[in-house]
Amino acid sequence: MDQILEYIEGNKSRYLDELRDLLSIPSISTNPENKPDLERCAQWIGDHMRSVGLENVKIFPTPGHPIVYADWLHARGMPTILLYGHYDVQPVDPVELWTSSPFEATIRGENLYARGSADDKGQVFIHLKSVEAYMKNTGRLPINLKVIIEGEEEIGSMHLDSFVRKHRNLLQADLVLISDTSMFAKNVPSVCYGLRGLAYMQVEVVGPNRDLHSGSFGGSIHNPVHALCEIVAQLHDKNRRVTIPGFYDHVRPLTKKERAAFKKLPWSNSRYANDLGVRKLYGEKGFTALEQVWARPTLECNGIWGGFTGEGAKTVLPAKAFAKISMRLVPDQKSERIAKLFEKHIKKIAPKSVQVNVKYVHGGEAAITPLESPGVQAAVAALEKGFGRKPLFQREGGSIPIVVQFKQLLGLDTVLLGFGLPDENAHAPDEFLNLKNFFGGIRTITHFYNELPHYMKMRRKK
Ligand code: BES
Ligand code: ZN
């Protein structure tokens, strides 16, 4: 093990150069014009997998962006890890708010800034470098490894579900490992055991059959932008609860034990508010901030538009207005049911003076992973060795919908072992990966390979 860790130390600057190269590819999955970049990124990952010693590298085309597969299966009698990650990234706008160019990874202080540095290319790369360190020093891995890296996570993993169904046998394993979450705080490693689900909706409000002069018509026609604002304003009550009937029907309540565990975490509301530059926190009454984000369902307007938004002034009563609205879900809500309830409610509260169309864009279910699983136990031991500190247990407010599919389709539990940070600016300008976390992550994954067989054996003996 010492030799492997020394190898990691000795290769730090090359690792970073390679990561910079990966991060220079603008693999923005939602932009049709970046399609060739996604192909190139998949190829880059496949080539790199081969160079670190993984075998059977295959790039599976999908109707969307390709899925990259590789494996190394020569540790007989040892557990098999299915590693999942994504190489696609979010758009970079507003690009003018980036301190350095989003696809020219730049080190400032102890962070590496680039789109995808934390979410999720940098975290995928952590795993490839652990494989390399192991393979180059021992010629083998202590476990069996299967890897799938997809290119559509940020847009709802539309083609992953059918891929997993079709390749059920190829993907058989003992557990799933994912690094696409954050540590609790700097120098505070954690294992994540809960993710929220999602139902993403688009609302279109249609008024007059064309844009109108706001002087000639304003006052006699319901402005769709106003109608949309009236609708959005009704979606929360004064206790900041979502007003959609039936929304909370299947919400699994927090247990006393879990609430007590959350309260013990090193957390400060005022620091949180200060960091984000808000005067006051704002959320559902009766719950703490961590509870609101990790374990309560919420509704957010992601964007709202219509009419004239350019520079200067144009007097117009627009024909249409739009909003993208997402709901984060918790166990045991079901995304499709929530999407239906949303549509029904919006249609019911919509003023009769406009027409409203609702589209369900995509969704996925919340996940809770078992803390007592050998994978989680091995992760705890590995984090302690990798970061020199016992990890905390935490949930997250974000979503990785495939976690539930892995359980349903392959019967596998997932270990969420993330190396991001809560303030890493994922999906926003100046996204970064902390370099200590990058190298700590590589060490941790290397230890995880070593620890896992022990914990799996202990379970078998029980
Ligand atoms: N890395 C995130 C998931 C995440 C976010 C985990 C925050 C923990 C905290 C992932 O890449 C992501 O952004 N997922 C989307 C999923 C959606 C498009 C279905 C999300 O959460 O918005
Ligand atoms: Zn993301």
Side-chain angles (χ1 to χ4, degrees):
M1 201 61 193
D2 287 349
Q3 195 190 336
I4 297 172
L5 296 174
E6 261 167 42
Y7 177 90
I8 296 169
E9 270 308 302
N11 285 279
K12 278 183 165 176
S13 68
R14 176 175 56 85
Y15 278 12
L16 284 176
D17 288 344
E18 292 167 356
L19 176 56
R20 275 204 204 93
D21 196 31
L22 171 60
L23 293 172
S24 73
I25 307 172
S27 49
I28 305 168
S29 48
T30 197
N31 282 354
E33 67 269 30
N34 287 116
K35 190 150 178 54
D37 297 309
L38 281 115
E39 306 273 339
R40 189 151 63 89
C41 197
Q43 211 68 46
W44 193 103
I45 297 211
D47 291 344
H48 206 80
M49 284 167 157
R50 235 175 260 120
S51 81
V52 299
L54 292 173
E55 300 173 346
N56 300 315
V57 176
K58 209 168 159 193
I59 296 179
F60 288 91
T62 77
H65 306 308
I67 296 170
V68 191
Y69 172 89
D71 61 30
W72 190 91
L73 302 172
H74 306 292
R76 275 196 43 200
M78 290 300 176
T80 302
I81 298 172
L82 174 60
L83 170 71
Y84 161 83
H86 64 96
Y87 66 82
D88 64 320
V89 300
Q90 289 274 337
V92 293
D93 39 62
V95 70
E96 65 280 4
L97 295 186
W98 285 77
T99 309
S100 49
S101 168
F103 297 108
E104 283 169 33
T106 306
I107 297 176
R108 285 195 297 281
E110 56 178 47
N111 300 327
L112 179 73
Y113 290 83
R115 173 56 90 230
S117 54
D119 183 10
D120 179 36
K121 285 160 153 181
Q123 298 210 53
V124 166
F125 199 65
I126 283 175
H127 288 263
L128 298 183
K129 293 296 99 174
S130 304
V131 170
E132 174 188 317
Y134 234 110
M135 294 292 279
K136 289 276 183 302
N137 287 284
T138 67
R140 50 187 289 102
L141 297 178
I143 42 81
N144 299 297
L145 186 62
K146 299 181 177 180
V147 187
I148 42 172
I149 310 296
E150 71 150 321
E152 298 184 302
E153 196 271 351
E154 299 290 7
I155 48 173
S157 301
M158 293 90 87
H159 303 104
L160 191 59
D161 185 79
S162 59
F163 176 84
V164 174
R165 275 173 210 276
K166 192 164 160 204
H167 298 282
R168 233 181 262 255
N169 288 338
L170 179 69
L171 302 178
Q172 266 320 319
D174 292 293
L175 59 89
V176 176
L177 179 60
I178 302 180
S179 296
D180 192 22
T181 50
S182 299
M183 306 202 322
F184 187 74
K186 215 158 134 180
N187 303 319
V188 187
S190 58
V191 176
C192 177
Y193 67 93
L195 293 163
R196 289 198 289 183
L198 187 73
Y200 202 109
M201 315 297 296
Q202 181 154 330
V203 178
E204 179 190 48
V205 176
V206 185
N209 58 9
R210 57 192 186 274
D211 279 4
L212 303 173
H213 189 294
S214 69
S216 312
F217 297 90
S220 66
I221 301 290
H222 200 167
N223 184 324
V225 175
H226 300 192
L228 180 55
C229 290
E230 290 160 30
I231 293 170
V232 172
Q234 288 178 63
L235 295 177
H236 291 94
D237 68 12
K238 65 178 191 319
N239 291 325
R240 298 141 196 188
R241 281 169 67 89
V242 177
T243 52
I244 300 169
F247 185 76
Y248 292 95
D249 275 1
H250 303 109
V251 170
R252 199 188 294 175
L254 273 151
T255 61
K256 271 203 182 127
K257 203 171 142 201
E258 205 173 15
R259 293 191 99 168
F262 285 8
K263 290 224 166 75
K264 283 206 195 115
L265 295 170
W267 177 264
S268 146
N269 271 348
S270 54
R271 211 176 59 209
Y272 181 55
N274 264 342
D275 278 356
L276 298 178
V278 294
R279 287 203 204 148
K280 230 170 147 315
L281 298 185
Y282 182 95
E284 186 187 1
K285 258 211 176 125
F287 295 92
T288 67
L290 286 181
E291 290 169 351
Q292 287 159 356
V293 175
W294 291 353
R296 296 295 297 168
T298 51
L299 180 150
E300 298 293 332
C301 190
N302 298 265
I304 187 161
W305 72 102
F308 180 69
T309 56
E311 213 171 307
K314 171 188 167 190
T315 47
V316 64
L317 194 164
K320 288 180 178 179
F322 304 84
K324 291 191 188 275
I325 297 176
S326 64
M327 290 160 285
R328 293 285 167 173
L329 311 177
V330 299
D332 298 304
Q333 291 175 298
K334 292 277 167 285
S335 53
E336 282 193 10
R337 174 178 178 272
I338 293 293
K340 282 194 190 116
L341 292 179
F342 177 90
E343 177 168 3
K344 195 168 151 204
H345 185 59
I346 297 285
K347 294 236 158 111
K348 196 173 134 227
I349 64 173
K352 298 293 164 274
S353 40
V354 293
Q355 192 201 317
V356 173
N357 302 315
V358 177
K359 196 167 89 188
Y360 179 29
V361 182
H362 64 68
E365 312 308 334
I368 295 283
T369 65
L371 289 182
E372 63 287 354
S373 74
V376 168
Q377 303 301 318
V380 168
L383 278 168
E384 198 171 350
K385 290 191 172 160
F387 283 87
R389 199 169 158 173
K390 242 191 169 48
L392 303 175
F393 288 108
Q394 68 161 104
R395 286 167 71 165
E396 286 265 23
S399 311
I400 308 178
I402 197 65
V403 170
V404 170
Q405 310 294 89
F406 283 137
K407 182 72 183 174
Q408 284 170 359
L409 300 173
L410 304 174
L412 300 181
D413 287 326
T414 293
V415 178
L416 296 162
L417 192 45
F419 303 105
L421 284 176
D423 62 350
E424 70 196 4
N425 297 324
H427 298 200
D430 281 352
E431 176 181 350
F432 69 84
L433 178 65
N434 179 284
L435 293 176
K436 280 191 187 155
N437 286 12
F438 176 62
F439 293 109
I442 299 173
R443 288 194 301 273
T444 300
I445 298 303
T446 316
H447 287 296
F448 184 77
Y449 294 161
N450 255 357
E451 297 290 333
L452 184 65
H454 299 295
Y455 287 92
M456 298 286 289
K457 255 186 236 142
M458 271 160 53
R459 184 181 61 173
R460 281 199 197 109
K461 271 190 200 142
K462 265 190 202 162

